[in-house]
Amino acid sequence: MVYAVVARCPVFGGKVASFDAAKAKAVPGVKDVIQISGGVAVIADNTWTAMEGRRALEVKWDEGANSELSSASISNCLLMGPSVPGYAARKEGDVAAGLAGATKKIEAEYEVPFLAHATMEPQNCTAHVRADRCDVWAPTQNQTNTQNVAAKITGLDPKAVFVHTTFLGGGFGRRFETDFVGEAVEISKAIRGPVKVTWSREDDIQHDYYRTASHAHFRGGARCGWVARRLAEPHRLPIADGSLRPAEGQLRSPER
């Protein structure tokens, strides 16, 4: 078995423009460097050597339409949310009148960024693709999609794909996604042998399927001190919708 790490574009939705593998291949123990759909894989006789090879790898990225997107621009987009009419989850009483007659008013805003799952164990997967069978060893929370992804990449019937679920090392929903599985299967198919793909902690934080960013604006009021019933306007909570989902290539990480 060999070991691999993947160099991925720092901008979601970006792709490889070109790469020079000469310096990476010069690292003792590096066996090959190949391009896959998600980046460039460095294959070696152990994980540390693969990481050293990746450090030496020279890649030029086509960052695409999201090259200028940043945390600041996403925050500005969310700030515009309260000015756009939203959906009322519940209506009760006359909020406008209540606020107008309140003797004490409070207004506050809260914002949270995209947050990584930061599982205790970064993503990893071992795959062995053969002509008539594919075996996948992965800490997955989604065996069905793992099987389907492997079948699609290999062209095999799903019944010929065998998923061996390992301990998760923390899941929190992150391992419901199968991006790390696809990488391993694709590399194994290319090299015609078993491979273990390991993500570093930096890889894991930078290429997560993040908890969405949000900005909340609250207004509230009270009459007769704080004993009387609190009157509050339903808070407005704009969140990053599908157009800002990192999974679909819309967030730059790390921040500029």
Side-chain angles (χ1 to χ4, degrees), residues 2-150:
V2 293
Y3 302 81
V5 296
V6 178
R8 305 169 187 84
C9 184
V11 179
F12 286 98
K15 59 184 180 181
V16 176
S18 64
F19 70 96
D20 185 345
K23 293 181 180 178
K25 289 183 176 180
V27 175
V30 170
K31 295 180 175 296
D32 203 357
V33 178
I34 63 173
Q35 184 173 344
I36 61 174
S37 58
V40 180
V42 179
I43 302 156
D45 54 16
N46 60 69
T47 299
W48 177 255
T49 299
M51 290 181 173
E52 288 293 292
R54 182 173 64 175
R55 291 187 184 97
L57 181 65
E58 297 178 354
V59 185
K60 291 183 179 180
W61 301 105
D62 175 3
E63 297 184 347
N66 301 315
S67 62
E68 298 303 318
L69 196 64
S70 67
S71 295
S73 64
I74 292 171
S75 181
N76 289 335
C77 178
L78 292 173
L79 283 171
M80 295 171 59
S83 64
V84 179
Y87 299 97
R90 177 179 176 182
K91 292 183 179 181
E92 183 176 330
D94 190 337
V95 174
L99 284 172
T103 57
K104 179 71 174 181
K105 296 178 182 179
I106 296 178
E107 189 166 352
E109 296 188 18
Y110 300 89
E111 183 174 353
V112 294
F114 282 102
L115 296 175
H117 293 81
T119 57
M120 292 177 286
E121 174 189 314
Q123 311 314 308
N124 62 91
C125 180
T126 299
H128 189 187
V129 177
R130 285 148 285 178
D132 59 352
R133 176 186 174 114
C134 174
D135 284 271
V136 175
W137 292 265
T140 178
Q141 293 175 274
N142 192 344
Q143 290 78 8
T144 299
N145 276 4
T146 292
Q147 185 181 53
N148 291 338
V149 165

